[in-house]
Amino acid sequence: MKYGNLVIEKKEFVVLKRLMNLSGYYKDDTLRKSVKKLASELETAIILDANDMHEDVIRLNTMVTIVSDSGWHKKFKLVMPTDSDIKNNKISILTPMGAAVMGYSEGDIVQWEFPVGEQKLTIEKVEQENEHINLNMAL
């Protein structure tokens, strides 16, 4: 991991903690494991102010390109659960894929449990859209 631990923007950290507290009752085992793993990684995360965030770190509303060890490529935008739209490549932070990449940076390798089994992913590209979350949203 490039920065040693996950890197999370301070306001996004607060929103993630709230989302995870509200979503602790998933029936899907893989999703529950993903949220728990992200929660444990957040315990040691580096929390930064928005102005101090690295451009290559995956945040909410970031475009991410990943490649798996098995050879598939995927490009998607990491979004809040309410903005999730699989057909338009908008993946919720509360999916296994979203939880797997949050706070990682370009070039990092992530080992994560998915419904099809454990996968090793390389974060190939991170593109910031400077469209950050609205903290006045209702959870």
Side-chain angles (χ1 to χ4, degrees), residues 1-2 9 18 33 35 49 56 61 74 91 98 128 138:
M1 198 181 294
K2 186 184 220 172
E9 192 273 332
R18 284 184 191 160
K33 285 179 189 175
V35 171
D49 287 326
D56 65 345
N61 296 321
K74 177 87 177 151
I91 295 182
Q128 300 298 338

Side-chain angles (χ1 to χ4, degrees), residues 59-99:
R59 310 174 57 177
L60 290 165
N61 296 321
T62 297
M63 289 298 296
V64 181
T65 305
I66 58 171
V67 61
S68 76
D69 268 7
S70 58
W72 54 263
H73 264 81
K74 177 87 177 151
K75 183 175 182 174
F76 62 90
K77 183 175 184 177
L78 186 64
V79 297
M80 294 292 291
T82 53
D83 298 325
S84 182
D85 181 356
I86 300 296
K87 290 179 184 174
N88 289 307
N89 295 315
K90 293 181 179 182
I91 295 182
S92 167
I93 181 61
L94 293 181
T95 62
M97 181 66 75

Side-chain angles (χ1 to χ4, degrees), residues 93-112:
I93 181 61
L94 293 181
T95 62
M97 181 66 75
V101 300
M102 181 68 183
Y104 282 87
S105 61
E106 196 167 289
D108 281 347
I109 295 172
V110 180
Q111 192 89 23
W112 207 266

